[in-house]
Amino acid sequence: MEKFNFFMPTKVVFGQDVVKQAGEDLVLGSKALIVTGRSSAKLSGALDDVLEVLTTPYVLFAEVENNPTVETVIRGGQLAREAGCDYVIAIGGGSPLDAAKVMAVLAVNDSYPLEFYKNGWKTPALPLVAIPTTAGTGSEVTQYAVLTIEEEETKKGLSGPDLFPKVAYLDPKYTSSLPLDVTIDTAVDALSHLVEGYLSGRATAASDLVALQGLALWGTTIRPLKTGDLDDSVRSALLLASSLGGITIAQTGTTLVHALGYPLTYFHDYPHGRANGVLMAEYLRYTHQVAPERVETVLELLELDSLDDFGDLMDQFFSQYLGELSLSSEQIQLYASRATLTRNIANSLGNPSVEQLTKILEASIMR
């Protein structure tokens, strides 16, 4: 009999105008730190909706960049301490949500963030409300926070049960201002979570239920993503699929796709979802050798006939950007070697070697 845990303590509220209707449920303390990127929270309308219903004082930290750095979260954590904030409202894509989680820790733990990777933290993070404005990372329902670590030249994730947001408000209208290229990048990030979670060595019967539903839902958005015809129903499906992807990897973690994709983002400024998309076809070819039935299930749910069809889909989305990735053989070998040091590889079926990771990366870049 299979044994497993399934822990997902975040309350999820999904639908139109859920923030406006939240009332006092949005309030988790007496003073809020509101964390956003530099423009998305305002452009999406989410920030205005929050301020319309918020009944407590707040301070605003609107400085989170893509792939947030240690320095950024230190500034936000210091602001929270100095202002006496006792809860956090995070609005934005994965970067503001992840950064806000670490700020929630720093607000009550006077440590350098890199210490958290080694020793964790003593005082639980401040409670956090998450309001996503992209349909990609699923950070609103995970215990992960990914930072850019300059000292190690990579992106690296923190995790802890108190990093799960207390409540997540998901309104598809907040994603409607995203341009098509960003919508596709983030959508493929969500797809990678669903695929990697289903193909993870840590997958369970419970996580599979979530992943399979998410994959089937994501499959309904393929045609609109190709044509750019993204109406409210498509935006809704993408946001829900993204959240299901987050719930999935909260249980299973991610695999070699993320391990190989992080260097492409750090060293080549390649968007995270795009990096995952470029790698995913070869990842599926590799995994098909060790788990063919699972890979076939992924294709079936996406209504694709073959691995070649999956590769063609990713090419339709990203082939025009491949010229931006000109990697030397030395770089490919370095990135593959670094990947073996990550926890993601331990989750990957087949125990991929450096040689196999090198082949996956080479074949992905040369498509």
Side-chain angles (χ1 to χ4, degrees):
M1 178 181 295
E2 180 182 16
K3 293 183 178 180
F4 62 83
N5 294 319
F6 189 96
F7 182 63
M8 217 300 286
T10 303
K11 177 182 177 180
V12 176
V13 186
F14 186 99
Q16 185 174 355
D17 293 332
V18 289
V19 170
K20 287 185 175 183
Q21 297 163 5
E24 288 301 313
D25 289 343
L26 189 71
V27 176
L28 301 182
S30 59
K31 188 173 186 179
L33 173 71
I34 300 178
V35 179
T36 74
R38 293 170 179 145
S39 60
S40 62
K42 187 69 176 176
L43 289 173
S44 66
L47 179 59
D48 288 343
D49 284 355
V50 167
L51 297 182
E52 182 180 323
V53 298
L54 193 63
T55 58
T56 66
Y58 68 91
V59 292
L60 176 64
F61 185 91
E63 303 174 26
V64 179
E65 70 276 46
N66 286 332
N67 306 307
T69 62
V70 170
E71 290 72 21
T72 296
V73 298
I74 288 174
R75 292 200 309 274
Q78 182 178 2
L79 176 61
R81 287 197 303 272
E82 292 174 350
C85 299
D86 56 1
Y87 74 107
V88 178
I89 300 175
I91 309 171
S95 292
L97 268 57
D98 284 6
K101 292 177 183 181
V102 185
M103 294 176 197
V105 175
L106 288 168
V108 287
N109 291 273
D110 189 13
S111 300
Y112 188 63
L114 292 187
E115 291 298 315
F116 298 150
Y117 288 95
K118 300 176 183 177
N119 305 312
W121 50 93
K122 293 182 180 179
T123 305
L126 295 181
L128 186 141
V129 176
I131 304 171
T133 61
T134 66
T137 69
S139 182
E140 69 274 5
V141 288
T142 76
Q143 72 278 41
Y144 306 127
V146 179
L147 298 179
T148 296
I149 310 299
E150 300 290 353
E151 293 88 336
E152 300 181 26
E153 296 184 318
T154 190
K155 294 174 65 176
K156 192 173 181 181
L158 281 171
S159 66
D162 52 327
L163 296 189
F164 277 107
K166 297 298 182 185
V167 59
Y169 291 97
L170 280 68
D171 189 333
K173 74 178 180 182
Y174 297 146
T175 70
S176 62
S177 61
L178 295 174
L180 181 59
D181 61 338
V182 176
T183 298
I184 290 174
D185 287 346
T186 53
V188 173
D189 187 18
L191 175 63
S192 71
H193 295 159
L194 293 161
V195 170
E196 292 177 74
Y198 183 62
L199 300 179
S200 170
R202 292 169 52 192
T204 69
S207 68
D208 282 354
L209 287 173
V210 182
L212 293 170
Q213 177 62 40
L215 285 165
L217 187 59
W218 200 95
T220 67
T221 71
I222 291 176
R223 186 180 299 276
L225 286 171
K226 287 180 180 180
T227 62
D229 184 18
L230 303 171
D231 61 18
D232 292 344
S233 65
V234 176
R235 292 284 186 185
S236 180
L238 285 170
L239 184 59
L240 182 53
S242 172
S243 195
L244 292 172
I247 294 170
T248 299
I249 63 169
Q251 316 304 318
T252 67
T254 54
T255 66
L256 67 85
V257 172
H258 276 67
L260 290 175
Y262 283 153
L264 303 183
T265 298
Y266 180 85
F267 289 107
H268 304 275
D269 199 28
Y270 215 59
H272 173 62
R274 190 176 301 173
N276 290 355
V278 166
L279 293 160
M280 222 179 332
E282 293 303 321
Y283 165 66
L284 287 177
R285 292 185 197 282
Y286 164 76
T287 308
H288 191 267
Q289 301 172 46
V290 294
E293 291 184 0
R294 288 208 155 226
V295 173
E296 294 293 339
T297 296
V298 169
L299 297 175
E300 180 181 346
L301 289 171
L302 297 177
E303 297 186 3
L304 299 172
D305 293 331
S306 67
L307 288 168
D308 286 341
D309 285 347
F310 185 94
D312 289 344
L313 176 63
M314 293 299 108
D315 282 347
Q316 288 180 59
F317 289 152
F318 303 124
S319 61
Q320 67 268 37
Y321 304 112
L322 275 178
E324 300 170 11
L325 282 176
S326 179
L327 305 186
S328 67
S329 58
E330 291 78 13
Q331 286 175 312
I332 290 174
Q333 182 68 36
L334 174 63
Y335 300 164
S337 298
R338 286 188 172 203
T340 62
L341 304 177
T342 67
R343 287 176 293 181
N344 311 78
I345 299 302
N347 298 334
S348 303
L349 298 177
N351 300 313
S353 64
V354 173
E355 292 74 20
Q356 289 167 320
L357 294 172
T358 300
K359 290 178 180 178
I360 290 170
L361 186 50
E362 281 179 338
S364 298
I365 301 306
M366 298 303 292
R367 288 187 65 83

